């Protein structure tokens, strides 16, 4: 009955949360970043005190913006891989919407 249902729901949601929704690959992001994101800034920009990124969404948007600026030709998947790498390494935002 009710209790069982709650239990099953808890089980389901915890297993969903431990599995990335998309096959986001931070290792690939790291590789892409080191291959395509040089020239204008290094990774110090991601730890500066007055950084311009305050949410995971900001981060994804900034990666898109810089992808254009860098003419790095990242695919939609790459954008998320690079965002994941930067987030896991520097920003540590909670992904509230789970869109990564
Ligand atoms: C054409 C130059 C250029 C290239 C190449 C470039 N960026 Fe940037 N990036 C910038 C500038 C300019 C800023 C803002 C720096 C500032 O405000 O001082 C920035 C800032 C950022 C920030 C925010 C830093 C913060 O404040 O926390 C991120 C994230 C970022 N870049 C990611 C990338 C990624 C990912 C790539 C490769 C796809 C890349 N950048 C390549 C110009 C570039």
């Amino acid at each position: 009955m009710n209790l069982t249902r709650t239990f099953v729901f808890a089980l389901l949601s915890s297993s969903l949360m431990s599995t990335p929704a998309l096959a986001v690959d931070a290792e690939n992001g790291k590789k892409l970043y080191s291959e395509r994101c040089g020239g204008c800034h290094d990774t110090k920009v991601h730890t500066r005190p007055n950084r311009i990124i305050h949410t995971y969404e900001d981060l994804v948007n900034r990666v898109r913006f810089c992808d254009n600026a860098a003419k790095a030709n990242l695919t939609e998947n790459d954008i998320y891989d690079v965002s994941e790498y930067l987030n896991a390494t520097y920003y540590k935002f909670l992904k509230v919407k789970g869109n990564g």
Side-chain angles (χ1 to χ4, degrees):
M1 15 169 288
N2 241 348
L3 255 181
T4 319
R5 217 175 282 164
T6 312
F7 180 67
V8 168
F9 179 71
L11 248 173
L12 266 178
S13 29
S14 66
S15 64
L16 279 179
M17 274 158 65
S18 58
T19 319
L22 302 164
V24 176
D25 182 348
E27 273 306 305
N28 185 46
K30 181 176 184 173
K31 184 166 153 284
L32 289 168
Y33 186 96
S34 65
E35 286 173 1
R36 305 196 200 172
C37 299
C40 299
H41 53 74
D42 60 16
T43 55
K44 278 199 213 75
V45 79
H46 309 302
T47 51
R48 59 187 182 165
N50 59 334
R51 69 193 189 189
I52 57 181
I53 305 298
H54 305 291
T55 66
Y56 189 75
E57 271 195 311
D58 282 357
L59 178 58
V60 174
N61 287 335
R62 185 69 212 194
V63 170
R64 277 189 214 289
F65 181 94
C66 278
D67 168 46
N68 283 327
K71 298 186 173 49
N73 284 317
L74 299 180
T75 66
E76 188 64 13
N77 257 342
D78 294 343
I79 300 272
Y80 283 104
D81 288 353
V82 172
S83 302
E84 183 64 25
Y85 155 63
L86 291 176
N87 193 46
T89 312
Y90 304 106
Y91 294 97
K92 322 256 184 205
F93 296 127
L94 235 66
K95 289 184 279 178
V96 185
K97 288 184 181 166
N99 58 352

